C-alpha cells in the first residue's frame, strides 16, 4: 500500500514516513513510501492494511516496514486517532 498524503505533524509525518509528491498539475513526481508490513504482518493490499489498522489503538507504538526505493526501512510509529 503506497502512502499518498500525510497529515502534517501527524504520527506518520512525525515518524518520517513520506507521501507522494505532486507537481502543480497534480501529477505524481515522486512516489510515497510503500508499506509492506506492520508489526511483522505482511501488507499485500488495502484489505490487509485495513484489517491490521482495525486492531490498533491510539497510543500503540508499531513498526512499519516500508520500501523507499532502493531501501527498505522499519520505522516506529505511535498510532494517533484511528
Amino acid at each position: 500500500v503506497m502512502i499518498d498524503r500525510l497529515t502534517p505533524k501527524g504520527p506518520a509525518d512525525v515518524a518520517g514516513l513520506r507521501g507522494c509528491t505532486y507537481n502543480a498539475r497534480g501529477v505524481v513526481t515522486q512516489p510515497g513510501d510503500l508499506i509492506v508490513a506492520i508489526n511483522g504482518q505482511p501488507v499485500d493490499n488495502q484489505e490487509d492494511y485495513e484489517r491490521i489498522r482495525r486492531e490498533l489503538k491510539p497510543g500503540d507504538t508499531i513498526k512499519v516496514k516500508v520500501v523507499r526505493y532502493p531501501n527498505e526501512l522499519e520505522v516506529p510509529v505511535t498510532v494517533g486517532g484511528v
Side-chain angles (χ1 to χ4, degrees):
V1 173
M2 184 172 294
I3 298 174
D4 182 27
R5 291 186 170 95
L6 299 174
T7 301
K9 300 189 193 239
D13 185 30
V14 170
L17 295 176
R18 295 184 188 165
C20 295
T21 303
Y22 295 86
N23 67 17
R25 293 179 15 195
V27 176
V28 174
T29 57
Q30 184 173 348
D33 290 338
L34 182 65
I35 300 172
V36 295
I38 298 173
N39 286 342
Q41 297 180 64
V43 175
D44 295 323
N45 52 48
Q46 189 70 30
E47 291 78 22
D48 289 343
Y49 174 80
E50 294 296 333
R51 176 183 47 77
I52 295 167
R53 189 179 69 87
R54 283 191 297 272
E55 299 170 0
L56 304 175
K57 295 182 239 79
D60 287 350
T61 298
I62 60 173
K63 292 181 181 176
V64 180
K65 185 181 279 188
V66 298
V67 173
R68 183 181 297 159
Y69 187 80
N71 302 308
E72 195 169 276
L73 312 163
E74 191 165 79
V75 179
V77 177
T78 300
V79 177
V82 198

